[in-house]
Amino acid sequence: MRKKFLIFMYGLGLSVIAGFILGLFYVLQSFLIEFFWHKNVDAFSRPVTNAIILLVIGIVIFLTRKHFGQLPRNFSNVMAEIRQKGTANYHTLLAQMVIPAIILVSGTSLGPEATLVSSTVLYGIWIGDKLRYVEANYAKLKKSSWLMVLRVLLIPHQYRIHREDSPEHRGIFLNKKMTKIVYFLNGVLGFSIVYNLFGEPSLIIRIGDSNWHYEKLGWMLLILLVSYAVGHVYLKVMIEIRKVIQSRIFHEVALITLGGLAIYVSSLLAPEILFSGQHNFHLFTTNWVGHSVLYLTAISFAKLLLLTIALNTGWVGGDIFPVLFSATIQGLAISQLLPNLDRTFVMVMVAIGVSSAILESPLLVGSLMAIMFAPINLLPFVILATILLMLIKSLQRRYTKYAPTVFDQIGDWLHGLNIF
């Protein structure tokens, strides 16, 4: 009993440390973006400054891809390695914290969530390996000096036993999913402590107020279905752009140059589409309210275009918040075509429909909109819209050719929690 308790507490300590490190990654990328892009730079030197930033980061991308491969590691590839080997290589975890933070400074139309998701899984595997070693050598450690015990517990890259797909190596917490959930939540707590300690802005940004009336509820289904269909059109276009890039450009330098040029041109013509857009949701109730439908639609598509080019040319990051941002811009544009309907309601419904189609995950999109962006009085409609689109996606999977997405894999991972 004492042995299990001590090992559990050790895992609790490791999980909060992992959360601290992930929090420091988020703070680092936020600080670098603020330092290089949001400082006062006169209009004459801004193009030169942007070019220097992108040139340096382009070189960093080339060198790191040559030595480490893509960073952050693709979540799908991590999960495929786990299914094949029972574990995954996490030796580049610290590089995965630093290099993506530098890449995001480029203004690539992406966010930090790709690093956070794949790193969370890799840290889970590392924690499991450390716990497995302590569990297997517990009797020996009890007889060792306190200095040796500290060495085993505190040196991160030594004293580990990798998980193998055999009963004797599956670890003491394999069937205790609640323990893994506790570790995960403890890591989130560690992340939150660092996030708030450094004064990062709130992730919850409600996009205005809604005065929706139930008698116009019939519009909801129409808006949702049309926006979901439009989202699929956008997804098809993004896939075709990816195919063109992959079939025409093969040299690493040429790919990185294309991505860098796309970001540079965007930084001069439409700087609002740079970065993830996560902290720009306030624009929907301020600067952008008076813009034309044509302008907003163009900005929305430009955001998706830059996102697609960046993802496929080495300037990688997370696409969840950029897609949500682009879809909400589209919602603001559509709301101007329906002046008799509540603007915020239309924005939220269009954002859910378009994002669910592009990201192929209504549950993820609905959850984020409900928690972070939609007004509180629209939560029942967000939940209803999410359920409707989940049913539609279920029918798609049943009656059409369907390839599991990264979000399906995340769902399977959360359901199984079979990491340690």
Side-chain angles (χ1 to χ4, degrees):
M1 186 68 180
R2 175 181 169 82
K3 171 184 174 181
K4 290 186 176 181
F5 175 76
L6 291 175
I7 294 176
F8 170 78
M9 294 304 296
Y10 176 51
L12 213 59
L14 293 180
S15 63
V16 79
I17 290 173
F20 285 156
I21 296 173
L22 289 170
L24 289 173
F25 154 74
Y26 190 95
V27 169
L28 174 63
Q29 59 90 30
S30 182
F31 167 78
L32 291 174
I33 290 172
E34 182 71 27
F35 182 82
F36 285 105
W37 287 90
H38 295 163
K39 293 185 72 174
N40 291 327
V41 178
D42 61 79
F44 178 77
S45 60
R46 182 80 264 181
V48 177
T49 304
N50 293 3
I52 293 173
I53 291 173
L54 290 168
L55 177 61
V56 172
I57 295 176
I59 294 172
V60 170
I61 292 173
F62 175 76
L63 294 176
T64 54
R65 286 174 71 93
K66 188 175 181 180
H67 290 91
F68 302 112
Q70 177 180 302
L71 292 176
R73 291 192 63 190
N74 183 278
F75 179 83
S76 298
N77 293 340
V78 172
M79 296 308 296
E81 186 177 357
I82 292 173
R83 284 193 294 269
Q84 182 180 6
K85 301 179 180 178
T87 185
N89 185 353
Y90 48 78
H91 294 95
T92 59
L93 252 177
L94 288 182
Q96 175 151 310
M97 300 288 99
V98 177
I99 302 305
I102 295 173
I103 294 175
L104 291 174
V105 176
S106 67
T108 176
S109 185
L110 296 161
E113 57 270 22
T115 300
L116 293 174
V117 171
S118 61
S119 297
T120 297
V121 177
L122 292 173
Y123 273 118
I125 296 172
W126 169 72
I127 291 169
D129 288 354
K130 292 293 288 184
L131 293 180
R132 209 167 286 113
Y133 180 91
V134 172
E135 193 273 339
N137 295 274
Y138 185 82
K140 186 189 299 183
L141 289 172
K142 284 183 66 176
K143 300 175 183 178
S144 302
S145 66
W146 64 270
L147 195 61
M148 182 60 190
V149 172
L150 286 178
R151 181 182 176 88
V152 169
L153 297 181
L154 297 181
I155 296 181
H157 60 285
Q158 295 181 11
Y159 308 107
R160 298 160 293 140
I161 295 180
H162 296 306
R163 174 181 179 268
E164 298 175 8
D165 193 17
S166 57
E168 62 272 18
H169 280 115
R170 286 181 179 175
I172 58 173
F173 295 129
L174 179 66
N175 297 316
K176 295 187 178 181
K177 295 181 180 179
M178 185 54 65
T179 300
K180 299 172 188 179
I181 294 173
V182 170
Y183 285 172
F184 176 77
L185 294 177
N186 197 47
V188 172
L189 175 63
F191 178 90
S192 302
I193 290 172
V194 173
Y195 189 94
N196 289 288
L197 192 64
F198 284 87
E200 289 294 312
S202 174
L203 294 174
I204 300 175
I205 306 174
R206 302 294 176 187
I207 50 176
D209 300 314
S210 178
N211 297 310
W212 181 255
H213 299 289
Y214 284 93
E215 60 267 20
K216 295 184 179 180
L217 189 59
W219 281 92
M220 174 183 167
L221 184 60
L222 178 62
I223 293 172
L224 200 61
L225 293 178
V226 171
S227 61
Y228 189 67
V230 170
H232 274 287
V233 173
Y234 282 150
L235 179 60
K236 294 292 184 184
V237 172
M238 293 167 71
I239 291 173
E240 291 305 315
I241 294 172
R242 181 186 67 194
K243 289 179 179 178
V244 169
I245 293 173
Q246 292 177 344
S247 63
R248 302 289 178 86
I249 306 174
F250 303 101
H251 199 281
E252 193 81 14
V253 174
L255 280 171
I256 295 172
T257 302
L258 173 62
L261 286 174
I263 297 170
Y264 181 71
V265 171
S266 300
S267 72
L268 301 179
L269 301 180
E272 56 266 58
I273 70 173
L274 299 180
F275 310 108
S276 71
Q278 179 182 346
H279 295 298
N280 287 337
F281 272 75
H282 66 277
L283 294 173
F284 299 119
T285 57
T286 55
N287 301 35
W288 284 357
V289 173
H291 282 309
S292 67
V293 173
L294 182 61
Y295 173 85
L296 293 171
T297 303
I299 288 294
S300 173
F301 186 75
K303 178 74 174 175
L304 293 177
L305 177 62
L306 180 59
L307 180 156
T308 306
I309 293 174
L311 274 178
N312 292 283
T313 55
W315 303 75
V316 295
D319 60 353
I320 298 173
F321 288 111
V323 168
L324 283 172
F325 185 66
S326 173
T328 309
I329 300 174
Q330 191 72 65
L332 180 58
I334 299 300
S335 71
Q336 296 190 18
L337 299 176
L338 302 170
N340 294 326
L341 299 180
D342 180 75
R343 182 178 66 203
T344 305
F345 181 86
V346 174
M347 286 169 55
V348 170
M349 289 299 110
V350 171
I352 292 174
V354 173
S355 300
S356 295
I358 295 175
L359 296 174
E360 300 180 278
S361 180
L363 179 59
L364 173 72
V365 170
S367 299
L368 290 176
M369 288 299 293
I371 295 170
M372 302 177 68
F373 304 120
I376 298 297
N377 64 333
L378 286 184
L379 293 188
F381 302 104
V382 172
I383 294 171
L384 179 58
T386 302
I387 293 172
L388 288 173
L389 292 180
M390 287 176 67
L391 291 174
I392 293 173
K393 185 189 175 188
S394 177
L395 293 174
Q396 284 181 295
R397 296 181 68 169
R398 181 176 299 180
Y399 297 108
T400 63
K401 187 178 180 180
Y402 179 83
T405 67
V406 64
F407 303 109
D408 294 322
Q409 295 175 37
I410 292 174
D412 293 341
W413 171 66
L414 291 174
H415 182 265
L417 283 172
N418 195 15
I419 300 298
F420 300 155

